[in-house]
Amino acid sequence: CQNCQKDFVIEPLDFDFYNKIKVPPPTFCPECRWQRRYTWRNERSLYKRQSDFSGKDIICLYSDDASFKVYDQKEWWADSWDAANHGRAYNFSKPFFTQFRDLQREVPRISIMNVQCVDSDYTNQSYENKNCYLCFSLAKSEDCAYATNVNEVKQVFDSFWVTKSELTYESIDSEQCYGSSYLLNCDSCLNSSFLFDCKNCQNCIGAIGLRNKRYVFWGEELSKEEFEKRKNNFDLGSFEKQKEAQKKFIQLILKLPRRAQRVKKCVNCTGDFLTNSKNAKNGFGCFELEDCRYVSRVYTCKDIYDSHGLGESELGCETIGNQTIHDVKFSNIVSDSRYVMYGDLCFNCENCFGCVGLHNKQYCILNKQYSKEEYSALVPRIIEHMNTMPYTDKKGRVYKYGEFFPPELSPFCYNETIAQEYFPLTKEQAIEQGYSWKDPEPRNYQIDIRAADLPDNIKDVKDDIIGKVIECEHQGKCNEQCTEAFKIIEPELAFYRRMKLPLPRLCPNCRHYQRLKQRNPLKLWTRQCM
């Protein structure tokens, strides 16, 4: 690997795929390829700035010091401007990625990905949602806050990778659950708390590996009457009692053997949380795959390699944030398109190379329109030029045809992206490895309440807590994008009261990172069964 300098294996099936889509084999190992792609995906870092089109205040993914023009969503999709107006002829005296960077800095970027949503301004990668706040990568959900990677949920707070659930809190990798909190890898559980790897369980507290059970209290099966008695004395609404329960839960989890891989209804597959797939290798959080490798959060796809956030597609390599594509390579947020290479923010395009922000175009190179014959003759020359005059980044990594965009061209700093979540670095490590880093902006909050001074029990919390500035327990001293302070919003307080849960002591970002620590990385190991 030209990035980490470690050896990696390219298998015969991989070579067959690369020959099929006519690209050279990679020079980065799978893990470094993942990290490189993730430097292009900002999900959680939101800013307020002015639109470069209208001058109005907008919520967006780009801070004021980002060297890109940014338009509000409606302005970006409008017909009042055309990215093709920024087209330019290809210059064979400069590396391709240098020319692409120049184009990228001219074409306006969309402020945020927030599609068909109602009262959900503070959400990103958000589709068909209603009344959601500070949620990211979610779809068809309602009345949620502080959740990531959730689909078809209602009143779900502080959760990660939850589907088809309602009234759940602090849940991870769970589906079809109701009225529950502190769930890990659970399915179809109701009115329960502190469960790990449980399915079809009701009214259980503190249990692991259960199937079709009721009235279990910290591993002990009880009568309904005895369970209700102990539950009433448990008092999960107390923050101190909750901390004690979490410690007890962790010790309980360590007693249960783990499945080597959480793979369900799959044939010849490896990965984690992989479902209904065939011939998939290293698939993480995916379903309905066939002949795919090194993918995460990908669904209903065939012949896809090295991709994240992709659905209903066939033939793709080194993509992130794409949807409904065919034969798209080395691209960021390209949807409803075919035969695109090195596309960025392109929609409903066909036969385009090195384009940014195009809608409904075909036969374009660097946003310039060509005839079909001109395009077909010029693209092979550009590919040859990329190999004879490659781009070299500041760390000496060489980018010929077949490499994804260099992190230097990403519109985001390393710690603004999900790369920091899955491959965490300190500022010094990031800079040493050639990534950019965004220092936290001075916040100068006037703290109303310190975390240590919050009421221990939710029943003692008064309505005037809403809108107060609460100090995060980490005080910005962690490496978790701490916002240093946070507020409680009205629906959130109502949710805590209904579920009898204490107020949190950490800001939403720090809470998100605590959940990430409970999940496996995008990695598999070879070992012996115990």
Side-chain angles (χ1 to χ4, degrees):
C1 173
Q2 67 162 320
N3 184 54
C4 68
Q5 309 303 314
K6 296 178 182 178
D7 293 340
F8 69 101
V9 175
I10 302 176
E11 297 180 356
L13 282 175
D14 297 337
F15 280 112
D16 291 343
F17 175 79
Y18 298 134
N19 289 332
K20 180 178 181 179
I21 64 170
K22 299 178 182 178
V23 300
T27 65
F28 281 47
C29 69
E31 191 167 307
C32 289
R33 299 199 298 269
W34 242 308
Q35 184 180 23
R36 179 174 61 180
R37 285 193 302 277
Y38 281 3
T39 63
W40 280 72
R41 188 171 177 92
N42 173 8
E43 286 185 356
R44 304 180 57 84
S45 299
L46 303 182
Y47 302 93
K48 284 188 176 180
R49 62 173 284 173
Q50 290 184 329
S51 164
D52 290 297
F53 182 84
S54 63
K56 72 176 184 179
D57 291 333
I58 57 174
I59 301 162
C60 71
L61 303 173
Y62 307 90
S63 62
D64 276 331
D65 55 5
S67 57
F68 299 91
K69 297 176 183 176
V70 181
Y71 287 1
D72 175 70
Q73 290 186 90
K74 292 181 180 178
E75 298 166 351
W76 196 85
W77 286 107
D79 295 331
S80 52
W81 72 284
D82 188 349
N85 293 335
H86 298 276
R88 69 273 319 272
Y90 193 84
N91 186 342
F92 285 93
S93 65
K94 293 182 179 180
F96 163 75
F97 285 117
T98 300
Q99 299 178 65
F100 181 86
R101 179 188 59 201
D102 294 340
L103 173 65
Q104 186 189 36
R105 289 179 177 172
E106 288 296 322
V107 179
R109 304 191 72 79
I110 189 170
S111 58
I112 204 167
M113 297 303 293
N114 189 315
V115 181
Q116 294 181 337
C117 293
V118 177
D119 293 331
S120 302
D121 293 343
Y122 291 88
T123 63
N124 179 42
Q125 295 297 332
S126 177
Y127 305 91
E128 299 179 44
N129 301 299
K130 181 180 179 182
N131 299 332
C132 292
Y133 176 70
L134 286 182
C135 293
F136 306 96
S137 191
L138 72 160
K140 299 178 181 178
S141 299
E142 187 174 344
D143 300 326
C144 299
Y146 320 121
T148 301
N149 290 358
V150 297
N151 294 304
E152 298 181 55
V153 300
K154 186 175 182 180
Q155 287 194 287
V156 168
F157 282 63
D158 280 295
S159 295
F160 189 92
W161 221 296
V162 173
T163 58
K164 298 180 180 178
S165 299
E166 186 173 349
L167 274 176
T168 63
Y169 177 73
E170 282 293 356
S171 297
I172 302 171
D173 298 325
S174 297
E175 60 182 330
Q176 294 183 321
C177 295
Y178 177 87
S180 300
S181 57
Y182 305 103
L183 303 181
L184 265 172
N185 191 19
C186 291
D187 185 357
S188 304
C189 292
L190 278 69
N191 304 322
S192 300
S193 297
F194 296 107
L195 301 188
F196 174 73
D197 189 27
C198 293
K199 301 187 189 307
N200 195 27
C201 294
Q202 298 181 33
N203 296 294
C204 294
I205 296 175
I208 56 174
L210 296 186
R211 301 292 183 270
N212 311 312
K213 293 290 185 181
R214 293 186 180 188
Y215 309 121
V216 174
F217 189 86
W218 293 108
E220 184 180 356
E221 198 164 354
L222 306 172
S223 66
K224 179 180 178 181
E225 294 74 17
E226 181 63 22
F227 176 84
E228 292 296 339
K229 181 179 177 181
R230 295 200 194 183
K231 178 183 177 181
N232 291 335
N233 293 330
F234 184 49
D235 194 11
L236 192 57
S238 163
F239 181 72
E240 290 301 320
K241 293 285 183 66
Q242 177 220 80
K243 285 203 302 184
E244 292 175 12
Q246 285 178 322
K247 291 178 182 178
K248 189 174 181 179
F249 185 46
I250 291 170
Q251 294 303 314
L252 196 65
I253 287 174
L254 295 177
K255 297 179 181 180
L256 181 73
R258 303 293 183 95
R259 277 196 288 171
Q261 301 176 67
R262 287 168 287 193
V263 173
K264 182 169 64 175
K265 298 180 182 178
C266 292
V267 178
N268 190 31
C269 293
T270 63
D272 199 16
F273 287 105
L274 183 61
T275 308
N276 296 337
S277 297
K278 178 182 178 182
N279 301 330
K281 177 180 177 180
N282 286 36
F284 296 88
C286 303
F287 60 90
E288 295 176 6
L289 305 184
E290 185 175 351
D291 300 325
C292 297
R293 292 191 168 203
Y294 317 115
V295 293
S296 54
R297 200 161 168 75
V298 168
Y299 67 93
T300 318
C301 286
K302 187 178 189 300
D303 284 325
I304 299 292
Y305 271 49
D306 290 294
S307 295
H308 173 88
L310 178 65
E312 300 174 346
S313 300
E314 185 173 356
L315 276 182
C317 180
E318 284 278 20
T319 71
I320 187 163
N322 297 356
Q323 185 77 17
T324 320
I325 57 170
H326 177 82
D327 199 357
V328 171
K329 308 161 192 169
F330 328 116
S331 294
N332 171 57
I333 310 183
V334 171
S335 293
D336 302 307
S337 299
R338 303 192 305 164
Y339 312 118
V340 173
M341 290 179 278
Y342 294 105
D344 182 23
L345 286 172
C346 292
F347 299 85
N348 196 27
C349 291
E350 185 173 343
N351 291 295
C352 291
F353 192 106
C355 293
V356 181
L358 291 185
H359 309 168
N360 310 312
K361 300 291 185 182
Q362 57 181 342
Y363 303 117
C364 293
I365 300 172
L366 294 180
N367 286 27
K368 183 180 178 181
Q369 183 70 60
Y370 292 88
S371 68
K372 178 180 178 180
E373 293 73 20
E374 291 171 331
Y375 178 89
S376 300
L378 189 52
V379 166
R381 292 182 58 204
I382 293 174
I383 292 174
E384 182 181 359
H385 175 253
M386 291 177 70
N387 293 326
T388 57
M389 186 184 285
Y391 178 89
T392 304
D393 70 12
K394 54 190 173 186
K395 296 299 293 184
R397 293 169 291 212
V398 178
Y399 285 81
K400 297 182 179 182
Y401 173 74
E403 303 288 353
F404 188 71
F405 300 114
E408 290 178 356
L409 273 62
S410 170
F412 310 110
C413 295
Y414 189 89
N415 57 328
E416 292 178 299
T417 69
I418 61 173
Q420 178 67 5
E421 299 180 15
Y422 291 92
F423 305 94
L425 300 174
T426 64
K427 176 181 178 180
E428 293 72 23
Q429 289 171 331
I431 292 174
E432 194 278 329
Q433 293 179 32
Y435 302 112
S436 58
W437 188 269
K438 183 170 178 58
D439 290 320
E441 298 175 357
R443 300 180 185 273
N444 301 319
Y445 290 128
Q446 185 65 44
I447 300 297
D448 295 320
I449 306 174
R450 293 175 60 246
D453 296 331
L454 288 170
D456 175 67
N457 202 301
I458 187 63
K459 64 185 179 183
D460 298 321
V461 176
K462 295 181 170 55
D463 290 346
D464 62 2
I465 194 72
I466 295 171
K468 293 285 182 67
V469 180
I470 303 170
E471 179 188 60
C472 177
E473 214 170 45
H474 287 175
Q475 300 177 345
K477 298 175 182 177
C478 61
N479 194 30
E480 298 170 353
Q481 311 310 303
C482 180
T483 59
E484 301 178 22
F486 62 100
K487 293 180 180 180
I488 303 295
I489 60 175
E490 190 172 344
E492 180 183 6
L493 180 59
F495 176 84
Y496 295 145
R497 285 172 170 166
R498 179 176 180 179
M499 297 286 289
K500 297 181 180 178
L501 296 166
L503 298 180
R505 267 58 176 174
L506 298 176
C507 71
N509 277 357
C510 291
R511 302 200 300 263
H512 173 69
Y513 274 80
Q514 304 316 302
R515 288 189 287 276
L516 285 175
K517 291 175 183 177
Q518 299 179 63
R519 304 186 79 243
N520 287 344
L522 303 172
K523 193 172 183 179
L524 300 175
W525 288 265
T526 300
R527 57 175 291 178
Q528 288 186 324
C529 174
M530 295 177 70

